[in-house]
Structure formats: structure tokens, C-alpha cells
Amino acid sequence: MGSSAGMIFSPETLKALEWLAAGLGLVNIALLIFRSQWNFAFAIASVALYVLIFFENRLYAESGLQVFFILANVWGWIVWRRSLGMVDEGRIAVRWLDWRSRAVWLAITAALSLNLGWLMHRYTNAALPFADSAIAGASVTAQILLGYRRIENWLLWIAIDVAAVLLYINRGLYPTAGLYAGMLVMSLFGLKEWITVHRQQRAAAA
């Protein structure tokens, strides 16, 4: 945890908010695994708290990312609701990207992460600018792919979760590190679940 000088909240209040945000995040992922649109409500509440938590710990790219997440989750909720005609038992359908799309998204993610890292390094006192920005850039891509119901979003979240656990331990954000460790396990399960669902969809359409 960073120094308390200049902090908006006391360290005790900030830690309580971090535990609350982590709990909301776990509910979000559990609902997401089973393709429930209500995951977005819990995601919005969780990331709104993390705007403050990350800013107070000088993880500025991560803090700004949470603002993006608020907007992206509102957008994702709208997209999922519009897709309710393609459901099984009230849950949305999923599919893979093609190889060309994967290459494009990979290039976009790398460019975003490197440029954001350079900006954070050059113009701010960010604690770990390139690690912070890599997580932020990959998270932007993963969130967009989630909104479009692409299975690759889980592969990105798995990589993000591993990197995030190490970053947050470094910054003393232990509840958040625990959240991402739990999310890593849940992301592995989510990948398996969505792959199974996709196979079932293909079999039903055959």
C-alpha cells in the first residue's frame, strides 16, 4: 500500500472498500461463467470502487481502465440484452474468433499496451508503468471480446489474472491479489464452460 500522504481515504477505509470491491468482482465472474447478463451489474459496482483504490495506489493506468470498464460493462449489458434471441435457457450464445481477427486483436493490444506504458513512464510517477499498462491494454481487449461473446476473452483474462496477482502483491493490495487469484481459477472454469457450450451449440445446429 502506498503512503497515506495526500490520500482521499484513510488506509482503513480504503482497505474496507478493497474487500467490498473484491467480493463484488467474484460475484461478477461467477455470473459471467454461466452467461448471465446480471454479471454486468456487479462488475459496474466493483470497478467503480477500483477507480479510487488504484488511483490511491498510483496505478494510474489501472485506475483509468476502471472508468473504461464502467462504460464497457454498460455497453456489454446492452449488447447481451439485444442478443437474447440467441439463447438457451435465458443465456447468451458464444463463439470463437477467426485466426485473422485474433492477429488483429493481438496487434492492437500490443500497440495499446506499449504506448500507454511509455506515456505513464514519461509523464507520471506511476509505480510500475509498463506492467500496469500491459494489464490495462489486455483488459481493454478482453472486455470488448467479452461484450461480443468471444471465447478468447477467457484466454486473455487468464493471462491478465496471472500478471495482476504479481502486480498487486508488489503494491501491497492483498485482497485484490486474492481476488485475481480466485478469478484465475474461475477463468479457467469459464473457458472450459464456454468451450463446452460452443460445442453443444454446434451439435444442435448440425
Side-chain angles (χ1 to χ4, degrees):
M1 185 72 66
S3 169
S4 61
M7 293 177 68
I8 299 172
F9 299 102
S10 69
E12 295 76 15
T13 299
L14 200 63
K15 185 61 68 176
L17 291 175
E18 186 184 354
W19 279 109
L20 176 58
L24 292 168
L26 287 175
V27 176
N28 157 232
I29 299 300
L31 291 172
L32 176 60
I33 288 172
F34 295 106
R35 296 169 292 134
S36 169
Q37 63 171 317
W38 296 106
N39 82 86
F40 293 105
F42 287 89
I44 291 167
S46 178
V47 299
L49 292 174
Y50 273 120
V51 171
L52 300 173
I53 294 164
F54 289 139
F55 187 84
E56 292 286 77
N57 283 274
R58 295 191 296 120
L59 295 172
Y60 302 129
E62 286 288 290
S63 181
L65 175 65
Q66 306 314 303
V67 177
F68 163 81
F69 275 160
I70 293 172
L71 300 175
N73 276 289
V74 171
W75 166 77
W77 201 346
I78 293 170
V79 170
W80 279 38
R81 286 185 63 83
R82 289 176 177 173
S83 301
L84 290 180
M86 302 180 292
V87 302
D88 59 284
E89 300 179 353
R91 296 185 175 94
I92 54 90
V94 300
R95 65 187 180 90
W96 292 98
L97 290 171
D98 58 53
W99 283 104
R100 180 178 180 181
S101 297
R102 289 172 185 166
V104 170
W105 279 109
L106 181 61
I108 291 172
T109 302
L112 175 61
S113 299
L114 289 171
N115 281 283
L116 182 58
W118 182 84
L119 289 172
M120 293 295 104
H121 174 71
R122 180 69 176 81
Y123 295 108
T124 77
N125 65 338
L128 295 166
F130 288 100
D132 188 14
S133 297
I135 292 172
S139 297
V140 168
T141 298
Q143 187 67 38
I144 293 172
L145 293 179
L146 186 159
Y148 283 123
R149 308 177 311 282
R150 298 302 185 266
I151 298 171
E152 284 85 355
N153 89 86
W154 289 112
L155 296 172
L156 277 174
W157 287 125
I158 289 166
I160 290 163
D161 292 341
V162 171
V165 167
L166 299 175
L167 175 64
Y168 300 143
I169 288 175
N170 177 273
R171 299 304 299 158
L173 296 169
Y174 300 115
T176 303
L179 166 64
Y180 275 79
M183 287 169 62
L184 173 59
V185 175
M186 296 172 79
S187 293
L188 290 166
F189 182 79
L191 176 62
K192 180 178 180 296
E193 175 71 13
W194 280 35
I195 289 174
T196 299
V197 167
H198 182 257
R199 288 172 179 166
Q200 292 171 348
Q201 291 169 181
R202 292 184 63 183

